[in-house]
Amino acid sequence: MREDELFRMGSYNSQGYYVDGTHIDSDGSIGEEDDTSSGSNDQDDDEDQMDFEEDDLEPESSISTEDEEEEDEEDNDEWTNQKRTDNQNSVAYYAAMEMLRIRFPFQSIAIRISDFCCLQEKDLLNDTMIDFYLNHIVEHVLPDSSGSKVTVLPSLFWHNLSLRQHASDSEDEKLMSDEQKMDLKFGDLHDFVADFDLQDFDYIVVPVNEWEHWSLAVICHPYTSKARTVIFDSQLTADLNNLQNMATLIEEFMKYSYEKRTRTVMPYPLPCVLPQRMPQQTNNYDCGIFIAEFARCFLLNPPKDLDNFDFVNEYPEFNTTNKRAEMQRAVLSLSPNRARWRPLVELLNGYNTAAPHRAL
């Protein structure tokens, strides 16, 4: 593994990732001690280790059994403060370590080194970083005086909802009533968002990932005469049917959810709005960065006339430059072990910039 490949792990799904063909689950967290476990004295090859200071990886002490079959090592690493096994000085071990665990109103998020590393240049943002930053905007960036009630649905919501687009009718479904079919289609998702009480919000933010491309849907003023679904996308094509289908599916679910909660028909439709002159990415990896900035701009200053939404007129200073560094700072500002990540931040940014910026 080349040195410049060591940190290219951020664009994998945050539920786990692959290293040398082996699936690694993301367990272990900063500040918690793992049980020591047995292992041999053989060390991994140098190319499988992260390029830290040698003293950081040297165990402070080790205790052997009489048979010398097991060895417990205590990690004196400034980055981890954890006990580790013999194979825990590998890239995979450090990638799985937590930098931050934070509880938002409807979502608990753990950010690991592998998640943070997707904030380097030319990498795709993963679901963890998208969910974190959108919630960070709502909880820490929007002023209390805005008066708007905003919530963010986890990216997992759209993943589950999108599966309903491709559901095929079975023989059993042909015998069902319309209500039974809707229960089959959306019932479990309605339970998934039962704690959100969608009627109470002015804006519902829905991150969308299709074919490794991020888009953003914002449901505005649901169940009122001003109800709209605004779709943001930084890579528009000649065929916009996919975005319209996205809005239609969201409307179907919102209608189902309203009727299940109130036992009445949804009073207003939820038409789709596609802003004019949306800024477009010029590469294949900044879609997540664009939707993060789309969300920040829109939620801080929503347009008064959504039906005539010209993005450039509303947000003439839109800019994604240094957005990755801003997101790094957002994570580090909330981390209780902020100083420990300085070598990681400098190494991460030094690979991709002529003059590395500091996020600390």
Side-chain angles (χ1 to χ4, degrees):
M1 184 180 294
R2 301 197 317 272
E3 184 179 6
D4 62 352
E5 292 177 332
L6 291 179
F7 288 101
R8 293 234 168 252
M9 307 182 70
S11 54
Y12 291 92
N13 186 286
S14 62
Q15 303 302 317
Y17 38 85
Y18 288 86
V19 177
D20 296 333
T22 302
H23 184 264
I24 307 296
D25 289 327
S26 299
D27 52 8
S29 59
I30 293 295
E32 297 178 358
E33 292 191 345
D34 297 331
D35 293 335
T36 56
S37 58
S38 60
S40 66
N41 290 326
D42 295 335
Q43 299 295 322
D44 295 332
D45 295 337
D46 291 342
E47 65 179 2
D48 289 330
Q49 299 184 7
M50 294 180 74
D51 188 19
F52 299 136
E53 293 294 330
E54 183 176 353
D55 291 342
D56 289 341
L57 296 177
E58 189 68 21
E60 185 177 4
S61 62
S62 60
I63 302 175
S64 301
T65 64
E66 294 180 0
D67 297 331
E68 296 184 356
E69 293 179 351
E70 296 182 346
E71 178 177 292
D72 292 336
E73 295 182 298
E74 183 170 346
D75 185 7
N76 193 32
D77 190 348
E78 290 296 323
W79 286 39
T80 67
N81 196 27
Q82 292 182 333
K83 293 181 180 179
R84 60 179 172 82
T85 57
D86 285 340
N87 65 348
Q88 285 178 330
N89 54 358
S90 65
V91 172
Y93 172 70
Y94 282 97
M97 296 189 60
E98 282 186 8
M99 298 179 67
L100 171 67
R101 181 179 291 270
I102 185 169
R103 176 70 184 177
F104 292 109
F106 296 106
Q107 193 175 3
S108 179
I109 296 175
I111 297 178
R112 307 181 189 279
I113 289 179
S114 58
D115 302 315
F116 188 80
C117 286
C118 73
L119 293 177
Q120 65 184 320
E121 294 295 332
K122 299 183 180 181
D123 220 343
L124 293 169
L125 267 61
N126 69 4
D127 53 350
T128 298
M129 293 314 307
I130 290 292
D131 287 346
F132 163 77
Y133 190 73
L134 293 178
N135 278 280
H136 169 70
I137 292 171
V138 174
E139 297 302 318
H140 304 141
V141 177
L142 292 184
D144 295 336
S145 59
S146 67
S148 297
K149 295 181 178 179
V150 186
T151 192
V152 178
L153 297 184
S155 53
L156 182 62
F157 170 79
W158 175 260
H159 172 74
N160 290 328
L161 182 61
S162 64
L163 297 178
R164 275 70 182 172
Q165 291 185 94
H166 312 294
S168 58
D169 292 335
S170 65
E171 291 298 323
D172 291 338
E173 288 182 58
K174 294 178 180 179
L175 302 177
M176 294 179 180
S177 64
D178 290 342
E179 182 178 358
Q180 289 173 326
K181 289 179 181 178
M182 295 301 287
D183 286 338
L184 181 64
K185 187 174 184 179
F186 295 124
D188 56 341
L189 271 179
H190 176 72
D191 295 337
F192 182 77
V193 298
D195 293 334
F196 284 82
D197 206 0
L198 303 177
Q199 297 181 74
D200 293 340
F201 295 101
D202 299 302
Y203 301 99
I204 302 170
V205 181
V206 184
V208 174
N209 190 289
E210 291 281 344
W211 303 104
E212 297 187 353
H213 174 70
W214 287 105
S215 302
L216 186 74
V218 181
I219 305 168
C220 307
H221 312 294
Y223 312 127
T224 72
S225 60
K226 297 187 293 181
R228 301 289 188 276
T229 297
V230 182
I231 304 293
F232 298 92
D233 196 297
S234 61
Q235 204 168 45
L236 296 174
T237 63
D239 184 5
L240 300 179
N241 285 336
N242 186 53
L243 299 182
Q244 180 60 58
N245 291 340
M246 180 192 305
T248 298
L249 187 60
I250 289 174
E251 181 180 25
E252 288 179 3
F253 173 77
M254 294 294 288
K255 178 181 178 181
Y256 172 84
S257 182
Y258 183 87
E259 293 178 358
K260 291 295 288 186
R261 288 175 183 272
T262 66
R263 296 297 175 183
T264 59
V265 176
M266 188 170 75
Y268 298 97
L270 196 58
C272 174
V273 172
L274 191 63
Q276 303 172 44
R277 298 199 291 171
M278 271 187 294
Q280 300 290 283
Q281 65 191 87
T282 57
N283 53 50
N284 295 321
Y285 45 79
D286 272 345
C287 51
I289 297 297
F290 271 75
I291 72 161
E293 187 63 8
F294 285 153
R296 191 190 69 83
C297 292
F298 181 85
L299 294 175
L300 280 172
N301 187 24
K304 293 181 173 57
D305 184 2
L306 289 176
D307 291 330
N308 295 290
F309 185 177
D310 186 309
F311 194 96
V312 173
N313 283 345
E314 294 289 343
Y315 312 110
E317 297 181 359
F318 178 90
N319 195 330
T320 58
T321 304
N322 296 326
K323 191 67 182 179
R324 292 176 186 268
E326 177 191 326
M327 295 176 75
Q328 289 178 7
R329 288 192 294 270
V331 173
L332 295 168
S333 68
L334 298 169
S335 173
N337 302 307
R338 176 182 179 184
R340 294 179 179 174
W341 308 117
R342 185 182 295 277
L344 170 64
V345 173
E346 294 183 348
L347 183 62
L348 195 67
N349 294 321
Y351 281 140
N352 301 287
T353 59
H357 55 264
R358 285 180 177 269
L360 287 170

Tab-separated table of all heavy atoms in Angstrom, residues 1 9 21 51 57 94 114 125 184 311 347:
chain	number	residue	atom	x	y	z
A	1	MET	N	0.849	-1.194	0.000
A	1	MET	CA	0.000	0.000	0.000
A	1	MET	C	0.878	1.236	0.000
A	1	MET	O	1.757	1.385	0.834
A	1	MET	CB	-0.886	0.005	1.258
A	1	MET	CG	-1.858	1.158	1.295
A	1	MET	SD	-2.884	1.113	2.794
A	1	MET	CE	-3.798	-0.377	2.489
A	9	MET	N	-9.979	5.944	2.670
A	9	MET	CA	-10.952	4.967	3.137
A	9	MET	C	-12.285	5.628	3.424
A	9	MET	O	-13.221	4.983	3.819
A	9	MET	CB	-10.431	4.285	4.412
A	9	MET	CG	-9.039	3.704	4.240
A	9	MET	SD	-8.471	2.863	5.703
A	9	MET	CE	-9.532	1.442	5.674
A	21	GLY	N	-9.154	-7.001	1.036
A	21	GLY	CA	-10.131	-8.040	0.755
A	21	GLY	C	-10.886	-8.533	1.963
A	21	GLY	O	-11.750	-9.390	1.862
A	51	ASP	N	1.696	5.820	9.311
A	51	ASP	CA	2.983	6.475	9.460
A	51	ASP	C	2.958	7.447	10.621
A	51	ASP	O	2.958	8.656	10.452
A	51	ASP	CB	3.310	7.218	8.147
A	51	ASP	CG	4.721	7.756	8.156
A	51	ASP	OD1	5.525	7.271	8.970
A	51	ASP	OD2	5.002	8.647	7.335
A	57	LEU	N	3.505	4.139	18.847
A	57	LEU	CA	3.024	2.786	18.663
A	57	LEU	C	3.725	1.788	19.560
A	57	LEU	O	3.391	0.612	19.570
A	57	LEU	CB	3.220	2.362	17.201
A	57	LEU	CG	2.417	3.156	16.198
A	57	LEU	CD1	2.759	2.703	14.780
A	57	LEU	CD2	0.939	2.973	16.456
A	94	TYR	N	-6.793	1.662	13.224
A	94	TYR	CA	-6.901	3.105	13.421
A	94	TYR	C	-8.058	3.686	12.626
A	94	TYR	O	-8.708	4.632	13.074
A	94	TYR	CB	-5.581	3.785	13.035
A	94	TYR	CG	-4.539	3.637	14.113
A	94	TYR	CD1	-3.590	2.637	14.046
A	94	TYR	CD2	-4.539	4.477	15.215
A	94	TYR	CE1	-2.647	2.481	15.052
A	94	TYR	CE2	-3.617	4.335	16.224
A	94	TYR	CZ	-2.659	3.330	16.138
A	94	TYR	OH	-1.736	3.175	17.137
A	114	SER	N	-12.001	6.753	9.455
A	114	SER	CA	-12.313	6.455	8.054
A	114	SER	C	-13.368	7.405	7.497
A	114	SER	O	-13.331	7.757	6.310
A	114	SER	CB	-12.791	5.011	7.910
A	114	SER	OG	-13.931	4.772	8.716
A	125	LEU	N	-17.950	12.147	-0.185
A	125	LEU	CA	-18.449	12.157	1.188
A	125	LEU	C	-19.338	10.942	1.412
A	125	LEU	O	-20.151	10.594	0.552
A	125	LEU	CB	-19.243	13.435	1.462
A	125	LEU	CG	-18.449	14.603	2.065
A	125	LEU	CD1	-17.347	15.041	1.128
A	125	LEU	CD2	-19.371	15.771	2.390
A	184	LEU	N	-48.227	-2.080	2.802
A	184	LEU	CA	-47.121	-2.939	2.410
A	184	LEU	C	-45.956	-2.113	1.861
A	184	LEU	O	-44.790	-2.419	2.122
A	184	LEU	CB	-47.589	-3.943	1.350
A	184	LEU	CG	-46.537	-4.942	0.836
A	184	LEU	CD1	-46.076	-5.850	1.962
A	184	LEU	CD2	-47.115	-5.760	-0.317
A	311	PHE	N	-31.591	30.357	-8.170
A	311	PHE	CA	-30.561	30.142	-7.164
A	311	PHE	C	-29.518	31.264	-7.167
A	311	PHE	O	-29.119	31.760	-6.111
A	311	PHE	CB	-29.874	28.792	-7.381
A	311	PHE	CG	-29.049	28.347	-6.209
A	311	PHE	CD1	-29.572	27.486	-5.267
A	311	PHE	CD2	-27.749	28.802	-6.034
A	311	PHE	CE1	-28.820	27.084	-4.160
A	311	PHE	CE2	-26.990	28.415	-4.945
A	311	PHE	CZ	-27.528	27.558	-4.002
A	347	LEU	N	-1.544	15.595	8.041
A	347	LEU	CA	-1.177	14.570	7.073
A	347	LEU	C	-2.226	14.454	5.981
A	347	LEU	O	-1.915	14.385	4.795
A	347	LEU	CB	-1.019	13.228	7.793
A	347	LEU	CG	-0.564	12.031	6.961
A	347	LEU	CD1	0.824	12.283	6.397
A	347	LEU	CD2	-0.561	10.765	7.806
